[in-house]
Every structure is written in structure tokens, then in C-alpha cells.
Short mmCIF file of all heavy atoms in Angstrom, two decimals:
data_model
loop_
_atom_site.label_atom_id
_atom_site.label_comp_id
_atom_site.label_asym_id
_atom_site.label_seq_id
_atom_site.Cartn_x
_atom_site.Cartn_y
_atom_site.Cartn_z
N ALA G 1 -9.64 -29.42 -12.45
CA ALA G 1 -8.53 -30.34 -12.73
C ALA G 1 -7.26 -29.54 -12.94
O ALA G 1 -7.30 -28.42 -13.49
CB ALA G 1 -8.83 -31.19 -13.95
N TYR G 2 -6.14 -30.10 -12.49
CA TYR G 2 -4.84 -29.48 -12.74
C TYR G 2 -4.34 -29.97 -14.09
O TYR G 2 -3.42 -30.78 -14.19
CB TYR G 2 -3.85 -29.83 -11.64
CG TYR G 2 -4.10 -29.10 -10.33
CD1 TYR G 2 -4.59 -29.78 -9.22
CD2 TYR G 2 -3.83 -27.73 -10.22
CE1 TYR G 2 -4.80 -29.12 -8.02
CE2 TYR G 2 -4.05 -27.07 -9.02
CZ TYR G 2 -4.54 -27.76 -7.93
OH TYR G 2 -4.75 -27.10 -6.75
N THR G 3 -4.94 -29.46 -15.14
CA THR G 3 -4.61 -29.88 -16.51
C THR G 3 -3.87 -28.77 -17.23
O THR G 3 -3.57 -27.71 -16.66
CB THR G 3 -5.89 -30.23 -17.27
OG1 THR G 3 -6.71 -29.06 -17.32
CG2 THR G 3 -6.65 -31.36 -16.59
N GLY G 4 -3.62 -29.01 -18.51
CA GLY G 4 -2.94 -28.00 -19.32
C GLY G 4 -3.71 -26.70 -19.36
O GLY G 4 -3.11 -25.62 -19.49
N ASP G 5 -5.05 -26.77 -19.28
CA ASP G 5 -5.86 -25.55 -19.31
C ASP G 5 -5.54 -24.66 -18.11
O ASP G 5 -5.50 -23.44 -18.22
CB ASP G 5 -7.34 -25.94 -19.32
CG ASP G 5 -8.21 -24.85 -19.90
OD1 ASP G 5 -7.70 -24.08 -20.74
OD2 ASP G 5 -9.38 -24.76 -19.49
N PHE G 6 -5.33 -25.28 -16.94
CA PHE G 6 -4.99 -24.54 -15.73
C PHE G 6 -3.66 -23.80 -15.92
O PHE G 6 -3.54 -22.60 -15.67
CB PHE G 6 -4.91 -25.48 -14.54
CG PHE G 6 -4.32 -24.85 -13.30
CD1 PHE G 6 -5.07 -24.00 -12.51
CD2 PHE G 6 -3.01 -25.13 -12.92
CE1 PHE G 6 -4.52 -23.41 -11.37
CE2 PHE G 6 -2.46 -24.56 -11.79
CZ PHE G 6 -3.21 -23.70 -11.01
N PHE G 7 -2.64 -24.51 -16.38
CA PHE G 7 -1.31 -23.91 -16.55
C PHE G 7 -1.33 -22.86 -17.67
O PHE G 7 -0.60 -21.87 -17.60
CB PHE G 7 -0.28 -25.00 -16.85
CG PHE G 7 -0.04 -25.93 -15.69
CD1 PHE G 7 -0.60 -27.20 -15.68
CD2 PHE G 7 0.70 -25.52 -14.59
CE1 PHE G 7 -0.39 -28.06 -14.61
CE2 PHE G 7 0.91 -26.37 -13.52
CZ PHE G 7 0.35 -27.64 -13.51
N LYS G 8 -2.15 -23.08 -18.69
CA LYS G 8 -2.25 -22.13 -19.80
C LYS G 8 -2.74 -20.77 -19.31
O LYS G 8 -2.34 -19.72 -19.84
CB LYS G 8 -3.18 -22.68 -20.88
CG LYS G 8 -3.35 -21.76 -22.09
CD LYS G 8 -4.31 -22.36 -23.10
CE LYS G 8 -5.75 -22.27 -22.60
NZ LYS G 8 -6.72 -22.73 -23.64
N HIS G 9 -3.62 -20.78 -18.29
CA HIS G 9 -4.18 -19.52 -17.79
C HIS G 9 -3.34 -18.88 -16.69
O HIS G 9 -3.22 -17.65 -16.65
CB HIS G 9 -5.60 -19.77 -17.28
CG HIS G 9 -6.62 -19.93 -18.35
ND1 HIS G 9 -6.87 -21.14 -18.97
CD2 HIS G 9 -7.46 -19.04 -18.93
CE1 HIS G 9 -7.81 -20.99 -19.86
NE2 HIS G 9 -8.20 -19.74 -19.87
N ILE G 10 -2.77 -19.67 -15.81
CA ILE G 10 -2.08 -19.07 -14.66
C ILE G 10 -0.63 -18.72 -14.93
O ILE G 10 -0.14 -17.69 -14.45
CB ILE G 10 -2.18 -20.00 -13.42
CG1 ILE G 10 -1.78 -19.20 -12.17
CG2 ILE G 10 -1.32 -21.25 -13.59
CD1 ILE G 10 -2.05 -19.90 -10.86
N LEU G 11 0.09 -19.53 -15.71
CA LEU G 11 1.52 -19.28 -15.89
C LEU G 11 1.82 -17.96 -16.61
O LEU G 11 2.71 -17.21 -16.17
CB LEU G 11 2.18 -20.45 -16.62
CG LEU G 11 2.36 -21.72 -15.79
CD1 LEU G 11 3.03 -22.82 -16.63
CD2 LEU G 11 3.20 -21.43 -14.54
N PRO G 12 1.13 -17.62 -17.70
CA PRO G 12 1.42 -16.32 -18.34
C PRO G 12 1.20 -15.15 -17.39
O PRO G 12 1.99 -14.20 -17.37
CB PRO G 12 0.44 -16.28 -19.51
CG PRO G 12 0.15 -17.71 -19.81
CD PRO G 12 0.15 -18.41 -18.48
N PHE G 13 0.13 -15.23 -16.60
CA PHE G 13 -0.15 -14.16 -15.63
C PHE G 13 0.98 -14.03 -14.62
O PHE G 13 1.50 -12.94 -14.37
CB PHE G 13 -1.48 -14.44 -14.94
CG PHE G 13 -1.74 -13.57 -13.74
CD1 PHE G 13 -1.62 -12.20 -13.81
CD2 PHE G 13 -2.12 -14.14 -12.53
CE1 PHE G 13 -1.86 -11.40 -12.70
CE2 PHE G 13 -2.35 -13.36 -11.42
CZ PHE G 13 -2.23 -11.98 -11.50
N LEU G 14 1.39 -15.15 -14.01
CA LEU G 14 2.44 -15.12 -12.99
C LEU G 14 3.77 -14.65 -13.57
O LEU G 14 4.50 -13.86 -12.95
CB LEU G 14 2.60 -16.50 -12.35
CG LEU G 14 1.42 -17.01 -11.53
CD1 LEU G 14 1.71 -18.41 -10.99
CD2 LEU G 14 1.09 -16.06 -10.39
N ILE G 15 4.11 -15.11 -14.76
CA ILE G 15 5.39 -14.75 -15.38
C ILE G 15 5.44 -13.25 -15.69
O ILE G 15 6.40 -12.56 -15.36
CB ILE G 15 5.63 -15.58 -16.65
CG1 ILE G 15 5.88 -17.05 -16.27
CG2 ILE G 15 6.81 -15.02 -17.44
CD1 ILE G 15 5.91 -17.99 -17.46
N PHE G 16 4.38 -12.74 -16.32
CA PHE G 16 4.39 -11.32 -16.68
C PHE G 16 4.27 -10.43 -15.44
O PHE G 16 4.81 -9.31 -15.43
CB PHE G 16 3.27 -11.01 -17.69
CG PHE G 16 3.68 -11.21 -19.11
CD1 PHE G 16 3.49 -12.43 -19.74
CD2 PHE G 16 4.29 -10.18 -19.82
CE1 PHE G 16 3.90 -12.62 -21.05
CE2 PHE G 16 4.69 -10.36 -21.13
CZ PHE G 16 4.50 -11.59 -21.75
N MET G 17 3.59 -10.90 -14.42
CA MET G 17 3.50 -10.12 -13.19
C MET G 17 4.89 -9.98 -12.55
O MET G 17 5.28 -8.89 -12.13
CB MET G 17 2.53 -10.78 -12.21
CG MET G 17 2.34 -9.98 -10.92
SD MET G 17 1.20 -10.79 -9.78
CE MET G 17 2.16 -12.26 -9.34
N GLU G 18 5.64 -11.09 -12.49
CA GLU G 18 6.98 -11.04 -11.91
C GLU G 18 7.90 -10.16 -12.75
O GLU G 18 8.68 -9.37 -12.21
CB GLU G 18 7.56 -12.45 -11.79
CG GLU G 18 6.90 -13.30 -10.73
CD GLU G 18 7.02 -12.70 -9.34
OE1 GLU G 18 8.10 -12.16 -9.00
OE2 GLU G 18 6.03 -12.75 -8.58
N LEU G 19 7.82 -10.29 -14.07
CA LEU G 19 8.64 -9.45 -14.93
C LEU G 19 8.30 -7.97 -14.76
O LEU G 19 9.19 -7.12 -14.70
CB LEU G 19 8.44 -9.86 -16.40
CG LEU G 19 9.07 -11.18 -16.85
CD1 LEU G 19 8.64 -11.49 -18.29
CD2 LEU G 19 10.59 -11.10 -16.76
N ALA G 20 7.00 -7.67 -14.67
CA ALA G 20 6.58 -6.28 -14.54
C ALA G 20 7.13 -5.65 -13.27
O ALA G 20 7.71 -4.55 -13.30
CB ALA G 20 5.04 -6.19 -14.57
N PHE G 21 6.98 -6.34 -12.15
CA PHE G 21 7.43 -5.75 -10.89
C PHE G 21 8.94 -5.79 -10.75
O PHE G 21 9.52 -4.97 -10.03
CB PHE G 21 6.73 -6.42 -9.71
CG PHE G 21 5.31 -5.97 -9.55
CD1 PHE G 21 4.26 -6.79 -9.91
CD2 PHE G 21 5.03 -4.70 -9.06
CE1 PHE G 21 2.95 -6.36 -9.79
CE2 PHE G 21 3.73 -4.26 -8.93
CZ PHE G 21 2.68 -5.08 -9.29
N MET G 22 9.60 -6.71 -11.43
CA MET G 22 11.06 -6.70 -11.44
C MET G 22 11.55 -5.42 -12.11
O MET G 22 12.49 -4.78 -11.64
CB MET G 22 11.59 -7.92 -12.18
CG MET G 22 13.11 -8.02 -12.17
SD MET G 22 13.73 -9.47 -13.06
CE MET G 22 13.38 -8.97 -14.76
N VAL G 23 10.90 -5.03 -13.19
CA VAL G 23 11.27 -3.79 -13.88
C VAL G 23 10.75 -2.58 -13.10
O VAL G 23 11.46 -1.57 -12.95
CB VAL G 23 10.70 -3.79 -15.32
CG1 VAL G 23 10.99 -2.45 -16.00
CG2 VAL G 23 11.30 -4.93 -16.12
N GLY G 24 9.53 -2.66 -12.60
CA GLY G 24 8.92 -1.53 -11.91
C GLY G 24 9.64 -1.14 -10.64
O GLY G 24 9.61 0.04 -10.24
N THR G 25 10.29 -2.09 -9.98
CA THR G 25 11.04 -1.78 -8.76
C THR G 25 12.53 -2.00 -9.01
O THR G 25 13.25 -2.45 -8.12
CB THR G 25 10.56 -2.65 -7.59
OG1 THR G 25 10.77 -4.04 -7.92
CG2 THR G 25 9.10 -2.43 -7.31
N TRP G 26 12.97 -1.68 -10.20
CA TRP G 26 14.35 -1.95 -10.63
C TRP G 26 15.34 -1.38 -9.62
O TRP G 26 15.28 -0.22 -9.27
CB TRP G 26 14.59 -1.33 -11.99
CG TRP G 26 15.86 -1.80 -12.64
CD1 TRP G 26 17.05 -1.17 -12.65
CD2 TRP G 26 16.03 -3.02 -13.35
NE1 TRP G 26 17.98 -1.91 -13.34
CE2 TRP G 26 17.38 -3.06 -13.79
CE3 TRP G 26 15.20 -4.10 -13.68
CZ2 TRP G 26 17.90 -4.12 -14.52
CZ3 TRP G 26 15.72 -5.14 -14.40
CH2 TRP G 26 17.05 -5.14 -14.82
N GLY G 27 16.25 -2.24 -9.16
CA GLY G 27 17.25 -1.80 -8.20
C GLY G 27 16.92 -2.18 -6.78
O GLY G 27 17.75 -2.03 -5.88
N ILE G 28 15.71 -2.67 -6.53
CA ILE G 28 15.31 -3.09 -5.18
C ILE G 28 14.78 -4.51 -5.25
O ILE G 28 13.87 -4.81 -6.03
CB ILE G 28 14.21 -2.16 -4.60
CG1 ILE G 28 14.74 -0.72 -4.52
CG2 ILE G 28 13.76 -2.64 -3.24
CD1 ILE G 28 13.72 0.27 -4.00
N ALA G 29 15.33 -5.39 -4.43
CA ALA G 29 14.86 -6.78 -4.42
C ALA G 29 13.44 -6.84 -3.88
O ALA G 29 13.15 -6.31 -2.81
CB ALA G 29 15.80 -7.63 -3.56
N GLY G 30 12.57 -7.49 -4.62
CA GLY G 30 11.16 -7.49 -4.24
C GLY G 30 10.70 -8.69 -3.43
O GLY G 30 9.70 -8.60 -2.72
#
């Protein structure tokens, strides 16, 4: 089901992954 449990698990992963690579490749659009 696409419930709150789904968003609770996937959104933190996606957000921190984007933040990590934004910093890790700082200066280059990813």
C-alpha cells in the first residue's frame, strides 16, 4: 500500500541521498 509507512521509509533515504551527492560533487550539477 502507498501509505504513510511507505513514505516514512523512502523519503528520508531519497532526501539524504540527494543531499549527500549534492555535497559530494559540489560545484558540478549532478
Side-chain angles (χ1 to χ4, degrees):
Y2 286 109
T3 60
D5 203 28
F6 170 77
F7 293 103
K8 180 181 73 174
H9 284 85
I10 194 170
L11 286 180
F13 168 51
L14 294 179
I15 291 171
F16 272 91
M17 183 181 67
E18 289 300 320
L19 287 174
F21 283 105
M22 183 180 71
V23 176
T25 60
W26 193 262
I28 300 178

